[in-house]
């Protein structure tokens, strides 16, 4: 996940946000796709030269999960705890008053840009993204809203930033068995466990996601509404939407989602029965 400094004007918080990325992403990816070693803030163990040579460049693609964009604050206090969280010297603000602020779609594009620049634009598959029904009730976006926001940012990253994304995966097809059992429901379909037949029902997000795939974009090609842009006037209704974004140029209208190299898939290891 991408992280932002709690106070962008505080150099310590800015460094803490960078340090968190070094631990959470660099620690796993740098040895394979990057420098061939652990990043310096996380170099708690030295890698053997032969090991570095054996694993460097061996990945076919980089799988990334995108959920939240929390803020981080630097901590000077040295705790007695031993572990990666203590080594980071920071605190993650995962429970802000406004829950929707955790789901900042710009964090998706920033994360992808960071990967592109640090690892020479590798092939990336968004292996999972989504939100539970319970998190929506706590103030987060709906699952349909999140899919639209994040898919839009991935499209911008491809079209504007030249990023190599080849997959976008929603979590999950059914409610999966989590650490707290079935208390948090992530599925596009619900399962009635009180029914011996385990009846399955599509949630609104399933229909929304189906339409996104079926239409190969955010609108039906033959029912595209009139779209205006902040970048240039639109004198007619285009066949496909132009994605508005904070850039000096608009995204070119999509002829198909596949032309943007986005493949929508629903995949998750799921449990059908309790």
């Amino acid at each position: 996940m991408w992280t932002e400094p709690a106070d962008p004007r505080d150099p310590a918080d800015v460094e803490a946000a960078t340090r968190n990325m070094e631990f959470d992403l660099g620690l796993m990816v740098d040895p394979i796709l990057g420098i061939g070693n652990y990043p310096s803030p996380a170099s708690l163990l030295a890698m053997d030269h032969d090991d570095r040579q054996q694993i460097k460049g061996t990945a076919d693609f980089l799988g990334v999960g995108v959920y939240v964009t929390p803020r981080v604050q630097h901590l000077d206090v040295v705790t007695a705890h031993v572990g990666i969280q203590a080594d980071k010297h920071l605190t993650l603000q995962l429970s802000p008053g406004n829950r929707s602020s955790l789901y900042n779609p710009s964090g998706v594009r920033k994360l992808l840009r960071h990967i592109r620049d640090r690892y020479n634009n590798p092939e990336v598959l968004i292996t999972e993204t989504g939100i539970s029904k319970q998190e929506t009730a706590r103030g987060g976006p709906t699952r349909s809203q999140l899919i639209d926001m994040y898919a839009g940012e991935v499209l911008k990253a491809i079209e504007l930033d030249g990023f190599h994304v080849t997959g976008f995966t929603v979590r999950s097809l059914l409610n999966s068995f989590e650490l707290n059992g079935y208390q948090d429901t992530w599925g596009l379909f619900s399962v009635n466990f009180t029914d011996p037949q385990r009846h399955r029902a599509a949630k609104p997000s399933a229909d929304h996601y189906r339409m996104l795939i079926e239409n190969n974009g955010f609108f039906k090609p033959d029912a595209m509404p009139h779209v205006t842009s902040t970048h240039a006037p639109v004198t007619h209704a285009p066949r496909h939407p132009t994605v508005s974004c904070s850039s000096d140029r608009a995204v070119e209208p999509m002829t198909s989602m596949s032309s943007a190299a986005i493949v929508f898939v629903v995949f998750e290891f799921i449990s059908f029965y309790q």
Side-chain angles (χ1 to χ4, degrees), residues 44-272:
L44 307 178
L45 296 173
M47 288 189 67
D48 179 83
H49 177 269
D50 291 339
D51 290 339
R52 296 200 304 267
Q53 294 301 311
Q54 184 175 6
I55 67 173
K56 184 174 172 57
T58 55
D60 294 321
F61 65 90
L62 176 61
V64 179
V66 288
Y67 288 101
V68 296
T69 302
R71 295 187 177 275
V72 299
Q73 185 176 23
H74 172 73
L75 288 180
D76 288 320
V77 178
V78 178
T79 68
H81 299 288
V82 177
I84 189 171
Q85 295 303 323
D87 292 333
K88 288 181 179 181
H89 295 290
L90 56 85
T91 179
L92 284 172
Q93 298 179 354
L94 290 170
S95 301
N98 180 12
R99 296 294 294 177
S100 63
S101 65
L102 279 175
Y103 299 90
N104 181 357
S106 66
V108 177
R109 188 175 172 192
K110 290 177 181 178
L111 174 61
L112 293 176
R113 187 182 295 127
H114 173 79
I115 293 172
R116 179 202 63 184
D117 295 343
R118 188 179 182 95
Y119 303 115
N120 193 28
N121 201 12
E123 179 181 351
V124 167
L125 173 65
I126 306 298
T127 52
E128 54 181 282
T129 189
I131 187 171
S132 69
K133 177 181 177 180
Q134 290 70 23
E135 183 63 10
T136 296
R138 287 190 286 264
T142 66
R143 189 176 295 110
S144 297
Q145 290 171 335
L146 184 135
I147 290 171
D148 282 355
M149 290 190 304
Y150 284 11
E153 291 300 310
V154 172
L155 178 61
K156 294 175 191 177
I158 294 169
E159 294 291 315
L160 298 181
D161 303 332
F163 197 79
H164 188 197
V165 178
T166 57
F168 185 99
T169 307
V170 171
R171 173 191 179 197
S172 59
L173 181 62
L174 298 176
N175 296 332
S176 53
F177 189 84
E178 306 293 333
L179 293 176
N180 60 356
Y182 288 99
Q183 293 182 29
D184 288 341
T185 54
W186 294 80
L188 295 169
F189 289 78
S190 62
V191 180
N192 183 358
F193 284 105
T194 64
D195 183 351
Q197 301 301 317
R198 299 294 192 263
H199 177 72
R200 295 154 176 77
K203 300 178 184 178
S205 56
D207 290 331
H208 184 84
Y209 190 50
R210 175 186 57 79
M211 290 177 62
L212 185 65
I213 302 170
E214 196 174 73
N215 299 329
N216 225 8
F218 296 103
F219 298 99
K220 290 185 177 181
D222 297 329
M224 174 62 195
H226 184 76
V227 176
T228 58
S229 171
T230 58
H231 304 282
V234 177
T235 57
H236 64 283
R239 180 173 173 83
H240 295 277
T242 296
V243 179
S244 175
C245 57
S246 55
S247 173
D248 57 357
R249 68 181 180 89
V251 178
E252 294 298 322
M254 293 183 294
T255 56
S256 70
M257 289 296 280
S258 59
S259 68
I262 299 182
V263 179
F264 284 92
V265 185
V266 182
F267 177 81
E268 177 74 17
F269 288 108
I270 51 180
S271 174
F272 287 90

